[in-house]
Amino acid sequence: MLHKKGSSFQRDCHGRVSASEYRQAISAALTQEIGGAGSAAKVAIGWTGASERTAKNWMSGSYGPTAEHLIELMRNSDTVLAVVLGLARREEAMTTERLKRVRAELAAVLRNLDANCDPGDNDTAS
């Protein structure tokens, strides 16, 4: 994940992020999540169905993903999701999603504990 303090992106006078900053942010997120080697491009290809050249362009920051590919990247990478929310100044949305996932994971742990605990197994001292 990105640093907890977040990233600061330069914005134009209207508060918009430039295309260059978008490309670099996605490149950094992908590199952080899956690495920068050729195998990382293969992971991105598997997530999105993009061509190898396209995925390598994302990794290098030469090009950024189009909407359809970005959605698939966000579906598979919490780091890309966090970067996009940061670019949109919607970091709080990530916190909500994390809380939902943690709650679901905790509920699953509790179900497993309940299933593995025998209610008739009360160790009483004799």
Side-chain angles (χ1 to χ4, degrees):
M1 293 298 292
L2 294 177
H3 301 289
K4 297 204 183 286
K5 293 183 180 179
S7 297
S8 59
F9 299 102
Q10 299 298 318
R11 303 191 183 254
D12 68 11
C13 62
H14 300 289
R16 294 182 292 235
V17 175
S18 73
S20 173
E21 290 164 316
Y22 166 70
R23 292 190 308 264
Q24 293 306 314
I26 296 300
S27 172
L30 288 171
T31 300
Q32 185 171 348
E33 179 94 11
I34 56 180
S39 61
K42 289 180 181 163
V43 172
I45 291 166
W47 288 348
T48 63
S51 72
E52 183 177 2
R53 180 76 263 151
T54 297
K56 286 182 177 181
N57 283 334
W58 299 339
M59 302 300 294
S60 71
S62 300
Y63 293 92
T66 58
E68 295 86 355
H69 289 143
L70 181 61
I71 290 167
E72 294 305 319
L73 291 172
M74 291 167 58
R75 182 187 326 268
N76 289 283
S77 168
D78 286 344
T79 306
V80 172
L81 176 60
V83 164
V84 171
L85 290 173
L87 290 170
R89 294 185 177 166
R90 296 290 309 270
E91 294 89 349
E92 73 281 354
M94 188 65 181
T95 302
T96 301
E97 286 305 310
R98 281 189 183 142
L99 288 174
K100 287 179 185 176
R101 281 196 307 272
V102 167
R103 184 180 187 282
E105 289 171 12
L106 285 173
V109 168
L110 289 173
R111 283 192 301 274
N112 285 335
L113 284 173
D114 288 344
N116 290 316
C117 292
D118 182 14
D121 186 18
N122 295 335
D123 289 332
T124 56
S126 302

